[in-house]
Amino acid sequence: MAENEEKSASIPWLPLITLIGVGSGVLLFFPQLISSRPGGGDLQLAGDTLDRQTIDARLWQDPLGVAVADREKNEKQSEGGNQKYSEVHSVAQFQKLLIKKCFALGANCPLIRSAIYPLDEQLRLDAQVKQVQILAVMIPGGPYVEDVERRLRSRRAVIEGLGMAGYAPEKDHKIGYFYVPWQPLQANVAACVRMLEENRIKDEGPSSERDSGVQPARNDSKEPDANGLLVPYEWCEPADFGAKKNPVVHVLVLWLIDDAFRDAPLGRLADLTSWFRLKRFGASQASDFSPLPAFTVLGPDNSGTLHAMVMEAKDNPWNNETRDCLATTHIYSSQAAAAESRLLSEIPATPELRIPFMPDCKDLIERNVKLLQSDNGFCFDRTLFPDDLIVETLWKELECRGLKKDDHVAIVSEEDTYYSRALCSTFTDSKPKAIPPLNLHSYTYLRGIDGKLPPDGKDEKETKGAAESGDKNTQSSVRPKEQTEGLNQADDIRRLAGQLQQLDRTLRQNSGGLRAVGLLGSDVYDKLELLRALRPLLPEASFFTNNLDARFAHPDEWNETHNLVVVSAFRLSLPQYENVPPFRDSGQTALFTATLEAMDQIHAGNPAIPQSPLIFEIGRKGPIELSIPASERPTTAELSAELANFFQRYLVRIACFIYFIAIGISLVVWTRFVTRVAPASSEAKTEPEDIVNKELISNEYPDSGCRPVEAT
């Protein structure tokens, strides 16, 4: 009979790893947010809004993109000669809707037929004008992806700000637009302002067709044309359900293309405001201007337009009527961050400015607009920290990270924007006070490194090839894979990275190499591509940048953005408004804050508004703020309580995780030390030695069927 064999079972690694992975993965990772909304809809109903100037649009859609798409659709439908859409979306049609909506007197509603208006009618109209506030938001008008994204972010910031002020869109899924006659950009400020004032005189001239009542002071003297400035708009009404009464009943939000105001921003703002001026006409056709509604501007959108505004104020080219059109204008500059010294660098300190000292932007613009008009309420405020404060905070942070004498710092900045050139100049000229001047190495690049353009039928293949080559560069590889032809400029960045690496090697022979590398610009996608190229070649350098963006903390970007130092004027949210979800970047938070200030909900100096630039470092769980004052830092007791709350909140998950780990360990121990004895099968294979012994026994004992007992 064969011997029983003892076999040890092998460890089932595959089910064990699967068990632990599934258990820990379910508990520790969040699923991707994927909507269950089915596709579809009926595009044929997109234009049926029951309002002549409005079209369908979600609150999060790009206001300019929606209006342009509707215009293109109307142009295709009117190829047969039907131009009614230009009349529907003309500024004259909008003026009629404005009077009908905001003024009880209405268009063509006769007043008391006398040459002298009753005082009660005048006071009544003036009171109705004060119930209207125009909120003009200046947005980029470019076709590129980053421009579309900025318009999306701007709209959400403004809508959220108005919501916190107690206003909601009158039509939550519609937006309107109209055309304003707009003259082409001029070569200089004086020519532009003179042309605007002459056209305004023609449009405001006497007309025999005027009826008594409230009428627009300015009428378009030409045929309705769709070649003017396209202005999307939406109305917001109080939505506090009777909790409190807002003094402003109607808020008109205008979305203005910033590029259209580049030559003379203040003069063109005055020209746009003139279309909202009204006149009171009586039986004798005598007229009088009514007060303008409050005109609040959230802009300019960039530092280049703000610089043009400063230069226009220096020239002081306006007449008294233009100043009157700006009398109720309040500008909140929340996006232009260029330093005062750069904006005023071309203004000499001469007595011609009628100012005995060197002014800042606010003082220069306000003094020259108001001039001698004591009743002029024009106001200009910058609600964003200028770049000199950002740069000063950056130097302090680098000093805290060990930046010393004779250390070398490299900065890489955009070349094709006024903002980046001014920021680079500010960083280069402002040396830290605590340490001696450093060795700075400055490099530039052109915005839009990946070469991606808006899709076009003609250039679609070339753009697609550039996009595919850009997508291949998402890995942090030091081996160049980029093509040296085409729209994608990533090969230039690779060569720049090699140049910086060679500089770092040369410096290490005499000193510590490059201690810090700064990425100064406005495009977050360019910064990410620069980080992918530079980070692997300069592993010991500290990288820093400006403007906080949520993209820096995205898990897909963490290999390049970890430990990135970011100095920003705002967080992604305001502490006082925790019910508003965090925004996508600090500029969006700045616009949200400016909207609250414009609606008199928050004021400068409020604790919710940062009083100095903020310092962040990108970690695995997002941006970690390093600039928290000592008085606001949590105490030991608060940290202990927070830790206890954390364990209490996640006690079930931690217990389940430990349970799965215990099961896995038990399975390993059981499979390692517990054995199983397997009995030999009766039909087991016989060894050759057993066969030989059996034959010998059979031959020696032929009559015996049993095996003899072996002698001991």
Side-chain angles (χ1 to χ4, degrees):
M1 185 174 61
E3 298 267 346
N4 291 338
E5 295 183 354
E6 188 176 296
K7 297 184 179 180
S8 176
S10 60
I11 300 176
W13 289 109
L14 183 59
L16 177 61
I17 294 175
T18 303
L19 178 64
I20 297 176
V22 171
S24 60
V26 171
L27 294 174
L28 299 180
F29 294 97
F30 294 99
Q32 185 179 1
L33 298 178
I34 301 177
S35 174
S36 58
R37 186 193 309 274
D42 193 351
L43 291 177
Q44 296 180 357
L45 300 178
D48 189 11
T49 62
L50 305 180
D51 191 339
R52 301 190 69 186
Q53 282 199 332
T54 61
I55 55 178
D56 288 301
R58 297 278 193 177
L59 288 179
W60 45 261
Q61 283 187 269
D62 174 13
L64 185 60
V66 173
V68 170
D70 185 75
R71 178 185 64 183
E72 293 177 353
K73 183 185 70 173
N74 290 330
E75 287 178 350
K76 292 181 180 179
Q77 294 177 354
S78 60
E79 290 179 355
N82 183 12
Q83 296 291 336
K84 291 184 178 180
Y85 81 95
S86 61
E87 299 177 0
V88 170
H89 295 283
S90 64
V91 66
Q93 183 67 26
F94 173 77
Q95 288 173 328
K96 295 179 181 179
L97 295 175
L98 174 67
I99 296 175
K100 182 179 180 180
K101 179 180 182 63
C102 300
F103 303 99
L105 296 176
N108 301 329
C109 179
L111 298 175
I112 296 178
R113 295 185 175 277
S114 62
I116 303 177
Y117 293 105
L119 182 60
D120 56 345
E121 289 289 347
Q122 180 178 352
L123 295 177
R124 177 183 170 189
L125 180 60
D126 295 347
Q128 289 175 330
V129 170
K130 294 180 180 180
Q131 294 180 356
V132 180
Q133 180 173 354
I134 300 173
L135 188 65
V137 187
M138 303 185 75
I139 55 177
Y144 304 105
V145 174
E146 60 271 19
D147 297 322
V148 176
E149 178 63 26
R150 287 195 60 187
R151 292 195 290 268
L152 293 176
R153 298 182 182 189
S154 298
R155 193 178 184 201
R156 190 216 158 186
V158 173
I159 294 297
E160 293 280 10
L162 290 173
M164 292 297 101
Y167 294 90
E170 180 187 33
K171 300 175 181 178
D172 53 4
H173 60 281
K174 300 182 189 303
I175 192 172
Y177 71 94
F178 61 88
Y179 296 98
V180 177
W182 209 251
Q183 301 299 325
L185 297 179
Q186 300 298 313
N188 56 75
V189 176
C192 178
V193 174
R194 184 168 54 252
M195 174 190 62
L196 295 176
E197 291 174 347
E198 292 176 355
N199 289 333
R200 187 161 57 245
I201 293 175
K202 294 179 181 178
D203 294 340
E204 292 181 351
S207 176
S208 59
E209 299 179 358
R210 299 271 189 174
D211 296 324
S212 60
V214 179
Q215 296 290 328
R218 184 175 182 181
N219 289 331
D220 190 5
S221 58
K222 300 177 291 296
E223 292 294 331
D225 188 11
N227 295 324
L229 177 66
L230 188 148
V231 181
Y233 71 89
E234 48 194 322
W235 289 97
C236 293
E237 308 292 338
D240 49 13
F241 302 102
K244 63 176 181 178
K245 292 186 178 180
N246 294 302
V248 178
V249 179
H250 309 285
V251 176
L252 174 62
V253 182
L254 303 178
W255 302 99
L256 305 179
I257 301 176
D258 184 90
D259 297 337
F261 296 79
R262 183 61 62 89
D263 53 353
L266 293 172
R268 290 192 178 270
L269 280 175
D271 188 71
L272 178 66
T273 308
S274 66
W275 291 98
F276 296 90
R277 289 205 296 181
L278 302 176
K279 281 187 176 182
R280 298 183 293 265
F281 290 89
S284 62
Q285 293 298 322
S287 63
D288 184 21
F289 284 110
S290 65
L292 275 168
F295 199 89
T296 305
V297 179
L298 302 182
D301 176 70
N302 56 74
S303 297
T305 307
L306 178 58
H307 177 255
M309 187 178 295
V310 171
M311 300 305 296
E312 181 184 4
K314 177 186 74 73
D315 294 342
N316 198 6
W318 316 291
N319 59 16
N320 290 333
E321 186 181 358
T322 301
R323 301 179 199 275
D324 292 337
C325 292
L326 295 173
T328 60
T329 301
H330 193 155
I331 299 176
Y332 293 90
S333 179
S334 63
Q335 304 297 307
E340 297 275 336
S341 58
R342 297 301 176 268
L343 295 171
L344 301 172
S345 60
E346 304 176 37
I347 300 179
T350 59
E352 297 178 358
L353 297 177
R354 301 180 178 89
I355 303 175
F357 56 89
M358 189 62 186
D360 56 8
C361 292
K362 174 180 174 61
D363 190 75
L364 173 66
I365 296 175
E366 287 185 356
R367 284 176 179 266
N368 284 5
V369 170
K370 294 180 180 180
L371 203 56
L372 302 178
Q373 296 179 347
S374 58
D375 57 344
N376 194 313
F378 175 83
C379 188
F380 175 86
D381 288 312
R382 298 191 70 180
T383 61
L384 188 69
F385 292 122
D387 284 339
D388 49 357
L389 295 181
I390 300 293
V391 168
E392 182 181 353
T393 306
L394 273 172
W395 280 122
K396 291 180 180 179
E397 179 62 21
L398 293 176
E399 181 184 357
C400 294
R401 293 175 179 264
L403 195 66
K404 299 178 182 179
K405 180 181 179 180
D406 298 333
D407 284 342
H408 292 258
V409 177
I411 54 174
V412 185
S413 62
E414 296 173 353
E415 177 65 22
D416 47 354
T417 59
Y418 176 87
Y419 164 70
S420 297
R421 292 194 298 269
L423 177 59
C424 180
S425 176
T426 302
F427 191 90
T428 304
D429 296 344
S430 61
K431 304 293 184 179
K433 299 179 181 179
I435 54 180
L438 299 177
N439 298 310
L440 290 177
H441 306 270
S442 179
Y443 302 88
T444 59
Y445 64 93
L446 297 180
R447 188 180 179 186
I449 297 174
D450 50 21
K452 292 184 178 181
L453 298 175
D456 189 4
K458 181 179 180 181
D459 301 332
E460 187 174 358
K461 294 183 179 180
E462 185 177 4
T463 305
K464 183 177 179 181
E468 291 177 353
S469 61
D471 294 338
K472 294 178 182 178
N473 303 328
T474 56
Q475 299 180 354
S476 298
S477 174
V478 297
R479 181 181 178 183
K481 299 179 181 179
E482 297 78 19
Q483 300 295 329
T484 57
E485 301 86 11
L487 301 178
N488 195 339
Q489 306 297 312
D491 59 309
D492 294 341
I493 303 304
R494 286 292 187 185
R495 289 189 290 272
L496 174 61
Q499 187 176 356
L500 285 173
Q501 184 185 32
Q502 184 61 37
L503 174 63
D504 181 65
R505 292 174 179 174
T506 304
L507 294 175
R508 288 185 180 278
Q509 299 176 0
N510 302 321
S511 60
L514 283 176
R515 292 299 306 275
V517 178
L519 308 178
L520 307 179
S522 58
D523 194 328
V524 64
Y525 304 107
D526 287 343
K527 294 180 181 179
L528 292 172
E529 195 153 359
L530 287 167
L531 284 172
R532 295 188 188 103
L534 299 176
R535 204 87 191 244
L537 302 183
L538 303 171
E540 298 183 7
S542 298
F543 284 80
F544 61 91
T545 187
N546 60 311
N547 296 336
L548 181 62
D549 196 290
R551 189 68 190 182
F552 290 142
H554 196 277
D556 294 343
E557 314 291 351
W558 195 83
N559 288 335
E560 290 78 26
T561 60
H562 66 278
N563 302 123
L564 175 68
V565 178
V566 183
V567 176
S568 178
F570 282 88
R571 304 176 180 89
L572 297 183
S573 61
L574 286 183
Q576 189 175 344
Y577 298 89
E578 297 180 353
N579 54 336
V580 178
F583 295 105
R584 292 181 176 178
D585 67 341
S586 57
Q588 200 175 4
T589 311
L591 184 57
F592 170 74
T593 307
T595 305
L596 293 175
E597 292 190 40
M599 302 308 297
D600 201 24
Q601 298 297 310
I602 196 173
H603 302 89
N606 190 292
I609 303 177
Q611 305 302 312
S612 61
L614 307 173
I615 307 173
F616 300 89
E617 184 172 354
I618 305 301
R620 286 191 177 273
K621 296 183 179 180
I624 301 173
E625 187 173 347
L626 307 178
S627 54
I628 300 177
S631 58
E632 299 180 5
R633 294 174 183 173
T635 61
T636 305
E638 293 175 346
L639 290 176
S640 302
E642 184 178 356
L643 185 62
N645 293 333
F646 173 80
F647 279 106
Q648 184 178 2
R649 181 183 304 175
Y650 296 99
L651 182 61
V652 176
R653 293 188 177 185
I654 295 174
C656 293
F657 180 74
I658 295 175
Y659 175 74
F660 277 106
I661 294 297
I663 291 178
I665 294 175
S666 301
L667 183 59
V668 172
V669 172
W670 180 75
T671 55
R672 178 66 180 86
F673 295 101
V674 179
T675 60
R676 295 179 299 178
V677 178
S681 175
S682 59
E683 299 178 357
K685 185 178 180 180
T686 308
E687 297 294 336
E689 294 180 357
D690 296 338
I691 297 175
V692 174
N693 293 335
K694 186 175 181 181
E695 291 178 355
L696 292 175
I697 294 172
S698 299
N699 293 332
E700 187 174 357
Y701 303 98
D703 299 333
S704 175
C706 62
R707 184 176 180 180
V709 179
E710 296 181 357
T712 59

